[in-house]
Amino acid sequence: MGIQLNGSTRIYYVIGDPIAQVKSPSLVTEAFQNKGLNAVCVPAHVAPDRLSTFFHAVKVMQNVDGLMITVPHKIAFADLCDELSDAARFLHTTNCVRREGDKWVGDMFDGQAQVAALQRNGAQLQGKKAILAGAGGAGTAIAHAILAAGVSELAIVEMDSARRDGLIERLNSLGLGKVSAGTTDPTGFDIVVNATPMGMREDDPLPFDGDKLTAEMFVGDVVTTPALTAWIAHAQKAGCQTSTGMDMFESVRDLMVDFLLAK
């Protein structure tokens, strides 16, 4: 299908650093235009120290209706929004922002999307023990969503101990499953999820000790490029059921498009 692109086209940016790995420009544009909309998604490579400057410029562009936020801006962008959904406010992170008149409203869908991808690929979460690598924007949302889906225990692995401990405290305040700090050893866990950028580069280490994986474990990832990360390939070799970053992206794309258009 040819892409409609002219002076009346509505623009949605996807913002990240790096940005070359994102799938949103083509796949979200396709989703918009399949709905009969004259709209496109455009990548924007923005460094963290230029994020506020970029957003102030976007605000004066009258043909920009929304933004999608990726690594590493999801937490920082929560401070730039005029309003946040209840979930995004609790998590203090956002991955999607829409213009509503003079206001910019943010929400967060990574957690819902990861849970949907895990369950669609056969993962059982209720009463299970999960371990998650990463307490950044995506990891924070995924930790919250996994708890809400019924896991009994959740361990979080994060190099930034202050960020990790703050997230653990907030999640434990919900009175759902027990949340604690974890290590890179996945032994004893049923669900093992990477919510870090590890795997985007060929020389990245695995997010967990891959030698400790067993076939009974279900393994997930958030990285979309490459489509088959070293982490997922290692898990499949160990006999694990898996859910890839692209599985998650399919869900998050639909959630973001619905949010961006519901104004």
Side-chain angles (χ1 to χ4, degrees), residues 178-246:
K178 177 185 176 182
V179 188
S180 60
T183 72
T184 55
D185 183 352
T187 301
F189 291 92
D190 306 297
I191 312 294
V192 187
V193 178
N194 173 42
T196 78
M198 283 191 286
M200 288 172 55
R201 299 178 301 185
E202 289 185 7
D203 59 347
D204 280 345
L206 296 180
F208 295 96
D209 184 347
D211 292 335
K212 300 294 181 65
L213 292 177
T214 62
E216 295 78 22
M217 298 174 179
F218 194 102
V219 173
D221 205 346
V222 301
V223 176
T224 58
T225 302
L228 181 65
T229 61
W231 169 236
I232 291 297
H234 195 96
Q236 291 177 350
K237 187 175 180 180
C240 303
Q241 287 183 278
T242 60
S243 175
T244 68
M246 281 305 299

Side-chain angles (χ1 to χ4, degrees), residues 1-245:
M1 180 184 74
I3 298 299
Q4 185 177 10
L5 182 62
N6 52 47
S8 298
T9 300
R10 309 307 297 177
I11 296 173
Y12 296 81
Y13 284 106
V14 54
I15 310 163
D17 181 26
I19 199 67
Q21 79 284 356
V22 298
K23 306 297 184 183
S24 305
S26 61
L27 297 179
V28 172
T29 296
E30 181 180 28
F32 285 148
Q33 303 227 349
N34 282 343
K35 292 177 178 290
L37 303 173
N38 182 4
V40 297
C41 176
V42 179
H45 190 174
V46 182
D49 63 349
R50 294 290 186 267
L51 189 62
S52 179
T53 301
F54 172 82
F55 188 41
H56 284 300
V58 164
K59 287 181 177 181
V60 303
M61 299 170 62
Q62 298 180 48
N63 60 341
V64 178
D65 288 341
L67 309 168
M68 285 152 278
I69 319 298
T70 189
V71 175
H73 301 315
K74 296 176 182 181
I75 293 176
F77 215 94
D79 290 324
L80 300 178
C81 294
D82 298 307
E83 293 182 6
L84 294 170
S85 69
D86 290 343
R89 188 180 307 107
F90 174 80
L91 298 168
H92 196 73
T93 182
T94 181
N95 73 336
C96 199
V97 183
R98 70 185 179 212
R99 185 198 294 267
E100 294 186 8
D102 293 331
K103 297 186 301 183
W104 291 80
V105 180
D107 209 334
M108 184 58 176
F109 300 106
D110 283 346
Q112 297 174 51
Q114 180 62 248
V115 165
L118 292 171
Q119 293 176 331
R120 189 168 63 247
N121 283 282
Q124 302 295 319
L125 300 179
Q126 185 69 40
K128 301 297 184 179
K129 296 175 64 176
I131 187 167
L132 174 75
T140 295
I142 292 168
H144 179 259
I146 285 177
L147 277 178
V151 299
S152 60
E153 295 183 31
L154 173 64
I156 298 174
V157 184
E158 167 62 49
M159 293 178 60
D160 186 330
S161 59
R163 176 182 289 180
R164 178 201 65 202
D165 294 345
L167 177 60
I168 289 171
E169 182 178 2
R170 280 186 289 149
L171 293 175
N172 276 325
S173 73
L174 298 174
L176 300 173
K178 177 185 176 182
V179 188
S180 60
T183 72
T184 55
D185 183 352
T187 301
F189 291 92
D190 306 297
I191 312 294
V192 187
V193 178
N194 173 42
T196 78
M198 283 191 286
M200 288 172 55
R201 299 178 301 185
E202 289 185 7
D203 59 347
D204 280 345
L206 296 180
F208 295 96
D209 184 347
D211 292 335
K212 300 294 181 65
L213 292 177
T214 62
E216 295 78 22
M217 298 174 179
F218 194 102
V219 173
D221 205 346
V222 301
V223 176
T224 58
T225 302
L228 181 65
T229 61
W231 169 236
I232 291 297
H234 195 96
Q236 291 177 350
K237 187 175 180 180
C240 303
Q241 287 183 278
T242 60
S243 175
T244 68

